[in-house]
Amino acid sequence: MRAEPTLPHHRLPPDSLTELAGGEGGPDTLGLLIGAERSRRLLLLRILDDATDLGPAWDLLIKAQRRAPHVVDELLMYPQTGMWLATALRRLRGTSPQDEPPPWVVLGHVAALAAAAALRAELDFTIEVPARHGRVPLPTLGCAVLPVAEPWTTATVRAEAGRTVVETSGATVVVPVPPHSAGPGWHPVRRLSVGPDKLQLEVALDDVDPYRTYPWPTEPRPLSEAAAAQWRHVLERAWEVLLREQPGTAEAMQRGVLSLSPTPARERFRPRSVTSGDAFGGIEASEPDDAVQLAVTLVHEFQHTKLGGLLHLTPLLTHDADENTELWYAPWRDDPRPLEGLLQGIYAFAGIAGFWHAHRRAAGTQQAMADFEFALWRTHVATAIEQIHRHPRFTPLGGALLDTLRNRCAGWLEEPVPEEQLALARLCAADHVARWRTHHLRPAAAAVEETVRAWLAEADGPPPSLAAEPELVPDPSVRWLDSLAMLVRYHLSGTDDGRPWSEAPEKTMARVTGALPGDALLAAGDPTAARHAYVAHLAGEPGRAGAWSGLGHALKATADEPAAARLLCHWPERARAVHESLLRSAATPPNPVRLATWLAAPMDTR
């Protein structure tokens, strides 16, 4: 296992860089990224051994490599191994915020890796491994469950003459042959293979490795047989979608997607998925609503995987301590993001826009939904790109990557989309921006005070100071800025027979966390009722950011109060800040529409 005196110097040829810059990357390019990841993990493992002396586990890994080098290579490249290496090194350096499990449990995981390697290499061995709340995971194979009371202890893995056991005093679990089958006290890591010959996707459905979740490890949570069967079924259908609509991406995924870590289902249309640059090839994903949603998730997270591999070889941004505090609007997030995070999102969501671009040609009864998703995500990606285009921190390669994605997005923006879906996408995109501004942007306190005095003095309009650039003050409490888009998805999703969604808006609202009554009415196409609902909501909860932005878009749709609509759609933070200040200084709260109209008046220049 000792690294050679000189490791290969990994470089990507121009063709591969061009592929990746465009959000693509074929099997050969993936092979180069994987080769670089292998060298990186060997270096990390060597650093860990130098820092801690891995002892018997290291010796057993060497024996396994000599017997079956391909087995050790597969274990080394397993996504969860990369996650463990990064976690262990952070614990050693004191840069991990987690206190549990104890450091010896984290570092001792190398013994579990060695045991898994030796078992697969058919060696006889005995080694002590960590037990976590009675669970003993063996990476890529499965997890033994022992009746142990202590949260953190050890167990013995012993293999002799083809029989392997995991044992503590008074309890023994026999590892089945083959280990990917179930047995008493043993939960296997299931191997899924979907698709036709030569076009198969083979992944581990890993529900037991503690390092399967990102960025922090969690304890094993084995799926039931029924749940595992459902995951297999939906993955088969998702893979059919990708093979049919994005064959190039699917071909690359065959090399670059190695494990899928399932988590429980979430609210409809709000799946959660995660990857980590430390866990190349691993995807953590909540149980999807359907096969198309899983296909989108695979594309999304595969984009992150490719970009993470590229970033391990070359930077896309320079490091400037003075500029690392910059935060930006990310249309797919509730919180402001640093430049590095925004670039990650642009790359990933360009992949999602590309998916919907292809899928809407074959969406069938879900054509309206596909058109909406394409229109929404191309808008979101374009908005994000324009914020940072030509930013001075981009390296030449980073600038070329953003330029390529920008040109691709420009082409998408010229493609026709049916008017109804286009209007809904524009509404949801604008609403997200407005809600974000209401939460995170703060007009200067002095300007707000001056504006309040002008209002109370019955001036013709606000002072010019209110129009100054607001300060970005991240609001850590913000959630669910995408509520309107979720309601629109219910509106467009239809029923199984393709008929429009006919549920009453208030019932739909109850399905979407964070949605307001006005949001449901606006999504259902009743802006007049939405206006009244937003005004009523602000009377009881004037600080609710979504009600201010929603009111703006309801007014815009009815065209009754164009000045107020413009102010609330573009600068809702002004109305919220002034309104809140007036509530503290006036006995009677001002009418939100009247206040917004006044704030939109020409600035008082006296």
Side-chain angles (χ1 to χ4, degrees):
M1 290 292 297
R2 293 286 179 185
E4 300 85 355
T6 57
L7 286 170
H9 188 72
H10 295 277
R11 286 190 175 93
L12 291 173
D15 288 350
S16 293
L17 288 172
T18 299
E19 286 181 354
L20 292 170
E24 306 295 340
D28 291 343
T29 297
L30 264 292
L32 294 171
L33 293 179
I34 290 168
E37 287 296 311
R38 179 182 181 277
S39 291
R40 180 175 181 272
R41 291 190 189 175
L42 283 170
L43 285 170
L44 293 178
L45 193 57
R46 176 61 183 271
I47 292 169
L48 191 62
D49 181 49
D50 288 345
T52 63
D53 185 9
L54 301 179
W58 186 268
D59 295 337
L60 189 56
L61 277 170
I62 290 173
K63 291 179 182 178
Q65 187 187 47
R66 288 171 177 164
R67 172 70 70 84
H70 67 284
V71 165
V72 176
D73 256 10
E74 186 179 319
L75 266 167
L76 183 69
M77 289 308 300
Y78 196 53
Q80 281 60 285
T81 301
M83 198 70 223
W84 163 70
L85 279 166
T87 302
L89 289 169
R90 290 186 187 110
R91 289 297 292 269
L92 281 176
R93 294 167 180 163
T95 57
S96 171
Q98 285 202 320
D99 296 326
E100 290 189 344
W104 68 264
V105 174
V106 177
L107 297 175
H109 186 72
V110 69
L113 278 166
L119 192 160
R120 293 177 58 185
E122 300 179 351
L123 294 172
D124 290 347
F125 66 94
T126 300
I127 193 168
E128 296 293 309
V129 300
R132 313 163 67 101
H133 299 275
R135 302 178 182 93
V136 181
L138 299 181
T140 73
L141 298 177
C143 178
V145 180
L146 298 164
V148 175
E150 296 89 345
W152 318 111
T153 185
T154 60
T156 301
V157 183
R158 192 186 321 275
E160 186 176 358
R163 183 176 186 267
T164 305
V165 298
V166 182
E167 55 191 5
T168 58
S169 56
T172 299
V173 170
V174 177
V175 179
V177 180
H180 290 297
S181 56
W186 177 256
H187 296 287
V189 172
R190 298 172 178 88
R191 304 293 306 185
L192 303 185
S193 180
V194 298
D197 289 344
K198 297 184 179 180
L199 294 174
Q200 289 184 332
L201 177 67
E202 297 182 0
V203 298
L205 186 66
D206 195 336
D207 52 359
V208 295
D209 193 303
Y211 298 97
R212 73 195 183 282
T213 53
Y214 320 124
W216 310 120
T218 54
E219 298 311 309
R221 293 187 178 89
L223 295 172
S224 68
E225 289 301 320
Q230 173 62 18
W231 269 99
R232 179 186 293 275
H233 173 67
V234 74
L235 182 62
E236 287 175 342
R237 294 178 57 208
W239 190 240
E240 289 172 1
V241 171
L242 291 173
L243 285 176
R244 181 175 63 248
E245 299 174 11
Q246 294 195 303
T249 298
E251 187 181 13
M253 281 185 186
Q254 288 179 277
R255 297 203 65 178
V257 175
L258 306 176
S259 77
L260 188 59
S261 300
T263 59
R266 289 163 56 91
E267 188 173 289
R268 189 182 181 197
F269 300 123
R270 277 179 170 155
R272 177 184 181 273
S273 61
V274 188
T275 54
S276 168
D278 295 317
F280 186 96
I283 296 174
E284 177 191 350
S286 59
E287 181 181 337
D289 298 342
D290 53 37
V292 171
Q293 188 181 88
L294 181 56
V296 173
T297 294
L298 292 173
V299 169
H300 175 190
E301 299 304 341
F302 189 51
Q303 291 290 100
H304 282 303
T305 294
K306 291 183 293 185
L307 188 61
L310 177 61
L311 288 170
H312 284 162
L313 290 172
T314 183
L316 301 178
L317 296 167
T318 60
H319 293 283
D320 186 334
D322 293 335
E323 296 187 10
N324 284 344
T325 57
E326 284 185 316
L327 294 175
W328 304 86
Y329 168 63
W332 37 82
R333 297 276 301 212
D334 294 328
D335 56 333
R337 298 294 287 159
L339 186 59
E340 291 81 358
L342 184 60
L343 181 60
Q344 281 275 356
I346 287 169
Y347 197 82
F349 285 94
I352 288 182
F355 172 88
W356 289 109
H357 177 254
H359 183 67
R360 70 190 191 118
R361 301 168 188 164
T365 59
Q366 293 298 305
Q367 183 68 50
M369 179 75 83
D371 287 331
F372 166 76
E373 297 288 4
F374 172 62
L376 179 65
W377 291 113
R378 70 180 182 179
T379 301
H380 280 338
V381 173
T383 297
I385 288 175
E386 291 309 311
Q387 291 181 101
I388 60 173
H389 188 237
R390 305 300 185 193
H391 193 286
R393 282 187 58 202
F394 278 105
T395 65
L397 178 59
L401 180 146
L402 197 68
D403 283 345
T404 302
L405 295 179
R406 184 172 183 253
N407 291 337
R408 188 180 184 195
C409 197
W412 289 334
L413 288 169
E414 293 182 358
E415 296 200 16
V417 172
E419 186 56 40
E420 179 186 357
Q421 288 76 57
L422 181 63
L424 288 170
R426 287 173 173 168
L427 169 64
C428 291
D431 181 72
H432 192 279
V433 175
R435 290 180 193 232
W436 188 92
R437 291 185 65 96
T438 313
H439 275 284
H440 298 298
L441 298 185
R442 295 286 180 272
V448 173
E449 291 174 6
E450 188 180 3
T451 304
V452 168
R453 290 194 296 270
W455 168 271
L456 294 176
E458 299 184 356
D460 292 336
S465 59
L466 191 66
E469 188 69 24
E471 182 183 5
L472 196 161
V473 182
D475 177 359
S477 69
V478 62
R479 298 289 187 277
W480 321 118
L481 296 185
D482 60 356
S483 295
L484 184 63
M486 297 301 130
L487 291 163
V488 167
R489 289 181 175 106
Y490 272 102
H491 172 67
L492 292 175
S493 62
T495 58
D496 289 339
D497 61 4
R499 289 181 292 121
W501 184 265
S502 58
E503 191 172 72
E506 61 272 15
K507 292 184 67 176
T508 309
M509 181 199 72
R511 297 171 180 264
V512 178
T513 304
L516 302 176
D519 297 338
L521 293 163
L522 191 59
D526 191 348
T528 300
R531 168 187 174 165
H532 295 305
Y534 286 126
V535 170
H537 198 102
L538 287 170
E541 193 179 359
R544 188 64 177 263
W548 287 104
S549 57
L551 175 59
H553 289 101
L555 292 172
K556 181 179 179 180
T558 58
D560 291 338
E561 303 281 353
R566 184 170 182 271
L567 186 285
L568 292 175
C569 286
H570 294 281
W571 305 285
E573 70 277 6
R574 298 180 191 174
R576 183 189 184 190
V578 173
H579 191 270
E580 287 180 348
S581 185
L582 281 168
L583 286 179
R584 294 190 294 267
S585 60
T588 304
N591 177 278
V593 177
R594 179 169 169 253
L595 175 63
T597 300
W598 181 81
L599 290 172
M603 297 295 181
D604 185 350
T605 57
R606 290 175 300 168

